[in-house]
């Protein structure tokens, strides 16, 4: 989803796209740069599980260079319920810490200009895949956190919405571990359901970015984009 | 809530009550023992943030001594959104790890007898206090995890339900930090709402234990006990 969304974002034509990931992928950066020469695409290595202070230092480098940043997308995620601590650290704590770090630069209470946060959560945040209870719970947490952020926008000047993909044909869901192996065939069972492609998901992601609606809970499933009512 | 619930549990008369907590409280143990001499009350020091292997070792000691354990209550919790990592470690990871550890002894796939898990979550799992988005999200995660556990009962033989207290007059809510100080008066504002006492909450907690309903999402608010429908 990350690469296809980056492609769609580059096509939509921002001035800059900064990619943060654990592993550099020079071929992908080159491809994205070639896709739209008007967009400057840069890469920084970043692991969302590093301490808050380290994230702040990296963000300072980026803000010093670009002066302003309009949108932060928190998209790091793993799906492996054999790795409890890491699932929670990447899917939940990583999103909280990266968001907390960028507030130093955006919070209007510090004279910041505000900003927009798009958190990639998952439909499992509200309809869990119970065979991966740790993954599903980490996504429920990321979703709850995002909804709270949106309600804090009047205080911080920072708006937020969540992107909740349904089952998408990615390497993530091709094969993964259930909690205590409660269902060894969970990946196969999941892929028996109707799915969507990463390109469909990415195109709807960019539509959600363009809608730019504080507090929206976007469901991106089966090639469609729908707002969810939270009751 | 922990001590008053322990009092109500002792009154209800199980054979054993084992208390696990970071800090020993001999006066409380003595009081509980005196309350009902037929109940053996014991204490072990336990910090829910220790690695899984350590929890398994402690549980082995307890299972070796008691032979069987019927009910695990995961009740450790902190409320302080200045402590992001610790909030997540105690309120979410602690519940997941303690649950995962006890499966070694209970899981029917290993020849275990099954068991019952009662997880203390919070109404903030579904109605967040957005000024403490990390706390609320950690409780949303614990709730989602518990709901998944209940759906896995046919595989594991272990049933589960959640105990979700509303605002209760505890030391926890007397004073606490909001995320990035978005609302310095959050504790005062919260306590302007109607609340319940810890005794009311504890009595309803024991009623929920007696109901013993797999998958129940119990709301314990304003002195009442109600099941929540999750849609």
């Amino acid at each position: 989803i990350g690469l296809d969304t980056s492609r769609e974002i580059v096509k939509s034509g921002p001035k800059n796209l900064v990619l943060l990931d654990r592993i550099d992928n020079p071929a992908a950066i080159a491809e994205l740069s070639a896709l739209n020469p008007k967009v400057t695409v840069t890469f920084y290595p970043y692991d969302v599980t590093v301490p808050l202070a380290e994230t702040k230092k990296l963000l300072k480098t980026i803000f010093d260079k670009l002066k302003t940043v309009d949108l932060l997308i928190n998209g790091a995620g793993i799906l492996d319920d054999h790795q409890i601590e890491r699932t929670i650290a990447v899917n939940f704590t990583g999103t909280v810490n990266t968001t907390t770090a960028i507030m130093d630069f955006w919070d209007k209470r510090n004279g910041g200009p505000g900003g927009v946060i798009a958190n990639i959560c998952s439909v499992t945040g509200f309809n869990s895949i119970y065979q991966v209870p740790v993954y599903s719970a980490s996504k429920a947490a990321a979703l709850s956190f995002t909804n709270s952020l949106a309600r804090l926008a009047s205080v911080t000047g920072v708006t937020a919405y969540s992107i909740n993909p349904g089952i998408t044909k990615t390497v993530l869901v091709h094969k993964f571990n259930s909690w205590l192996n409660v269902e060894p065939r969970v990946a196969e069972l999941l892929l028996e359901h109707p799915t969507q492609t990463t390109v469909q998901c990415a195109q709807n992601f960019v539509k959600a970015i363009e809608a730019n609606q504080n507090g929206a809970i976007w469901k991106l499933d089966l090639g469609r984009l729908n707002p969810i009512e939270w009751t």
Side-chain angles (χ1 to χ4, degrees), chain A:
Chain A
I1 296 175
L3 181 54
D4 274 315
T5 301
S6 299
R7 288 187 181 112
E8 295 300 323
I9 289 173
V10 165
K11 283 193 223 164
S12 78
K15 223 162 96 183
N16 289 281
L17 174 65
V18 180
L19 296 168
L20 308 176
D21 205 337
R22 280 194 319 134
I23 297 150
D24 192 3
N25 183 346
I29 306 293
E31 186 212 315
L32 290 168
S33 298
L35 204 58
N36 186 345
K38 288 178 198 152
V39 183
T40 307
V41 180
T42 47
F43 172 85
Y44 293 89
Y46 178 50
D47 178 336
V48 298
T49 66
V50 298
L52 191 59
E54 217 172 299
T55 304
K56 288 184 179 183
K57 242 169 65 185
L58 172 60
L59 289 178
K60 187 165 182 335
T61 308
I62 295 169
F63 274 81
D64 281 350
K65 203 175 149 209
L66 299 185
K67 306 307 171 205
T68 60
V69 173
D70 302 316
L71 172 67
L72 166 68
I73 300 173
N74 285 304
I78 66 163
L79 170 52
D80 179 358
D81 260 31
H82 282 188
Q83 295 190 58
I84 293 172
E85 317 272 346
R86 190 153 177 82
T87 295
I88 295 170
V90 173
N91 297 3
F92 178 24
T93 317
T95 293
V96 172
N97 275 340
T98 310
T99 300
T100 303
I102 209 166
M103 297 304 281
D104 274 8
F105 305 88
W106 273 355
D107 195 325
K108 70 176 187 188
R109 295 175 300 163
N110 314 332
V116 180
I117 293 173
N119 287 338
I120 307 187
C121 304
S122 162
V123 295
T124 64
F126 30 93
N127 293 319
S128 66
I129 303 172
Y130 61 89
Q131 298 93 339
V132 282
V134 184
Y135 172 83
S136 297
S138 73
K139 292 298 188 173
L143 176 61
S144 166
F145 180 71
T146 309
N147 294 342
S148 291
L149 285 181
R151 295 175 68 187
L152 290 167
S154 59
V155 175
T156 61
V158 176
T159 61
Y161 50 85
S162 61
I163 299 292
N164 300 280
I167 307 167
T168 309
K169 276 182 229 126
T170 65
V171 286
L172 202 72
V173 299
H174 187 65
K175 190 168 166 40
F176 57 92
N177 292 312
S178 62
W179 181 64
L180 298 175
N181 299 320
V182 286
E183 179 47 85
R185 293 185 58 243
V186 60
E188 292 92 309
L189 291 174
L190 207 63
L191 290 171
E192 282 173 8
H193 289 86
T195 58
Q196 63 184 0
T197 65
T198 53
V199 173
Q200 287 176 305
C201 185
Q203 288 171 342
N204 283 328
F205 195 152
V206 169
K207 281 182 199 157
I209 292 172
E210 285 163 354
N212 194 28
Q213 199 185 316
N214 186 44
I217 303 172
W218 294 109
K219 181 175 166 182
L220 291 75
D221 200 14
L222 304 173
R224 290 189 295 268
L225 174 71
N226 292 112
I228 294 280
E229 282 300 318
W230 189 260
T231 52

